[in-house]
Amino acid sequence: MPTAPISLSGLLPMIHHYIDLKKGDYIFREGDLANELYIVCSGKVQLSKITPEGRELSLRICDKEDLFGEVIPFQSFTKCALSAKMMEDGRLAVIPQQTLEEKLTIDHSFALEFMQWMNLQFRRTQTKIRDLILHGKKGALYSTLIRLANSYGVETENGILIDLPLTNQELANFCGSAREVINRLLKGLKEDEIISVNKGKITIHNLQYLKDEIHCEGCPIDICNIN
């Protein structure tokens, strides 16, 4: 599992309150005012963007203890560039922007950690967009499978089990593609015995094949993941 460059202990004193949400609930949407950070206490959160064509592009899954939000410290009236939606029932801790700014002002060590965290989020998003642009629909799927393996992969005797059930539509959202395209690509991978699927969970039998097909650059797991 990838590690975060920011310590949870530094965030806990800043928590203002908690919110309980149901699967499908939005925490924020594109265009909303960005004035809070969130820590996932339980459940999973999907960060996504709507393309000009109206298609949902999923960029990140946030798990327990992950930090997310669109806040830009010391800037007022920043709007969210992404939407955040609950993938399952869960609880979030809320950190107001003002509290974050006060902490950054007095704690230089935390300020450095926070800048490193923001840089990491930028690099993760940048590489995902790069894969979508450079490698087309097939490459986007292969890249997504590699990232999922890095985030949720479990070594088994048959290969790497992605221990996260996903529908073909959810996979398509990560690839910025139509479900029918992903259906066809997955079928080809299954016929070639590169992957297999059981109850919505994918097992990758030949990870190197996927890497070779997209000329994988061997990015660190902290960058090449879906979280």
Side-chain angles (χ1 to χ4, degrees), residues 130-131 135 138-151 155 160 189 194-195 204-221 224-225:
R130 175 203 65 191
D131 291 344
H135 302 304
K138 183 175 76 170
L141 173 61
Y142 292 5
S143 171
T144 297
L145 292 174
I146 294 169
R147 292 175 188 277
L148 286 167
N150 287 338
S151 296
E155 293 280 355
I160 302 174
L189 289 174
I194 305 300
I195 68 167
I204 301 175
H205 305 296
N206 190 343
L207 183 63
Q208 192 58 48
Y209 172 86
L210 300 178
K211 291 182 176 181
D212 290 343
E213 284 293 298
I214 64 169
H215 308 290
C216 178
E217 299 175 2
C219 296
I221 290 180
C224 185
N225 65 72

Side-chain angles (χ1 to χ4, degrees), residues 42-185:
S42 63
K44 287 183 173 61
V45 176
Q46 171 188 290
L47 299 183
S48 61
K49 187 169 185 62
I50 302 300
T51 69
E53 298 78 22
R55 182 172 293 150
E56 184 178 34
L57 174 60
S58 299
L59 293 172
R60 183 183 173 198
I61 295 175
C62 300
D63 280 302
K64 185 177 181 180
E65 299 187 355
D66 279 345
L67 176 70
F68 71 96
E70 297 282 276
V71 168
I72 300 179
F74 308 107
Q75 287 194 22
S76 302
F77 307 111
T78 301
K79 292 188 177 181
C80 297
L82 304 176
S83 295
K85 181 173 65 176
M86 299 299 297
M87 297 180 69
E88 52 192 42
D89 295 356
R91 166 172 278 206
L92 306 178
V94 183
I95 298 174
Q97 180 173 347
Q98 182 178 346
T99 305
L100 171 66
E101 292 172 348
E102 291 171 355
K103 176 74 169 178
L104 292 171
T105 301
I106 64 175
D107 189 336
H108 295 170
S109 178
F110 175 79
L112 177 60
E113 286 186 355
F114 189 77
M115 286 190 293
Q116 291 172 332
W117 175 79
M118 290 189 70
N119 179 61
L120 181 60
Q121 304 316 305
F122 172 76
R123 291 177 65 195
R124 286 173 176 171
T125 301
Q126 186 181 49
T127 57
K128 289 171 187 174
I129 299 299
R130 175 203 65 191
D131 291 344
L132 290 174
I133 293 173
L134 295 182
H135 302 304
K137 302 303 182 185
K138 183 175 76 170
L141 173 61
Y142 292 5
S143 171
T144 297
L145 292 174
I146 294 169
R147 292 175 188 277
L148 286 167
N150 287 338
S151 296
Y152 296 99
V154 177
E155 293 280 355
T156 72
E157 60 182 12
N158 295 320
I160 302 174
L161 170 68
I162 298 174
D163 194 20
L164 177 72
L166 291 169
T167 66
N168 287 6
Q169 182 60 62
E170 288 170 329
L171 273 177
N173 291 346
F174 277 108
C175 302
S177 183
R179 180 172 55 84
E180 292 76 15
V181 173
I182 298 304
N183 290 348
R184 185 174 68 254
L185 292 172

